[in-house]
């Protein structure tokens, strides 16, 4: 189980063309189902009845079902004599992909060592030799 809470939501609508108008749903879950003036059931959200779905003839719009009413709506759906209550469960939100690890910084290339080749010795390096040579001439 991740640290993030997995949440599945439910929504419901009614296929009004096959609603019998018996009103069982509205009596069972009045927060979600309401009877219209035409004698057929509707869904409502926050106490506001939702209209017909212009894109799906015969159906009402979808109403979100609060978690606290989900089991009651499922029961009303099972008990509906017209089998016209449609429930849809939204898929749980996918886990966010983990942030990719930043690529390690490449090691800096070591400075190439300059190897002196065929370099004449510094004149200073010959000073002790010359002093030694002179001393040997003087005292040797
Ligand atoms: S229980 Fe079903 S058939 Fe009865 S009013 Fe509600 S939606 Fe219509």
């Amino acid at each position: 189980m991740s640290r993030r809470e997995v949440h599945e939501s439910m929504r419901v609508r009614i296929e009004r063309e096959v609603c019998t108008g018996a009103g069982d749903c509205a009596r069972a879950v009045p927060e979600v189902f309401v009877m219209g003036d035409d004698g057929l059931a509707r869904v409502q959200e926050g106490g506001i009845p939702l209209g017909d779905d212009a894109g799906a003839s015969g159906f009402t719009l979808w109403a979100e079902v609060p978690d606290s009413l989900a089991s009651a709506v499922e029961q009303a759906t099972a008990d509906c004599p017209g089998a016209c209550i449609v429930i849809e469960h939204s898929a749980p939100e996918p886990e966010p992909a983990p942030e990719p690890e930043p690529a390690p910084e490449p090691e800096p290339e070591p400075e190439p060592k300059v190897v002196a080749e065929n370099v004449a010795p510094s004149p200073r390096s010959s000073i002790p030799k010359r002093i030694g040579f002179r001393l040997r001439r003087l005292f040797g």
Side-chain angles (χ1 to χ4, degrees):
M1 192 69 157
S2 69
R3 284 181 286 141
R4 189 170 176 180
E5 201 61 36
V6 175
H7 180 74
E8 183 183 84
S9 63
M10 175 197 284
R11 62 181 189 164
V12 65
R13 70 178 178 178
I14 293 174
E15 186 178 4
R16 287 163 53 81
E17 287 184 345
V18 290
C19 175
T20 67
D24 298 357
C25 57
R27 284 189 292 277
V29 195
E31 300 89 344
V32 175
F33 302 106
V34 62
M35 300 308 291
D37 293 339
D38 56 3
L40 302 177
R42 290 188 172 281
V43 289
Q44 60 180 348
E45 235 180 51
I48 300 171
L50 303 181
D52 292 335
D53 186 344
S57 179
F59 285 87
T60 67
L61 293 169
W62 290 102
E64 295 295 322
V65 178
D67 291 347
S68 59
L69 298 174
S71 60
V73 168
E74 285 179 341
Q75 188 61 53
T77 302
D79 295 341
C80 172
C84 51
I85 301 175
V86 181
I87 289 177
E88 186 176 272
H89 295 274
S90 69
E93 290 182 28
E95 287 289 314
E99 291 284 325
E101 291 280 328
E105 288 287 323
E107 289 287 323
E109 290 283 326
E111 289 288 326
K113 287 187 178 177
V114 178
V115 178
E117 289 182 18
N118 299 327
V119 176
S122 161
R124 286 188 182 180
S125 66
S126 63
I127 290 174
K129 288 181 183 176
R130 280 188 259 156
I131 291 173
F133 175 74
R134 290 194 180 166
L135 289 175
R136 275 196 302 276
R137 281 185 63 186
L138 287 172
F139 303 107

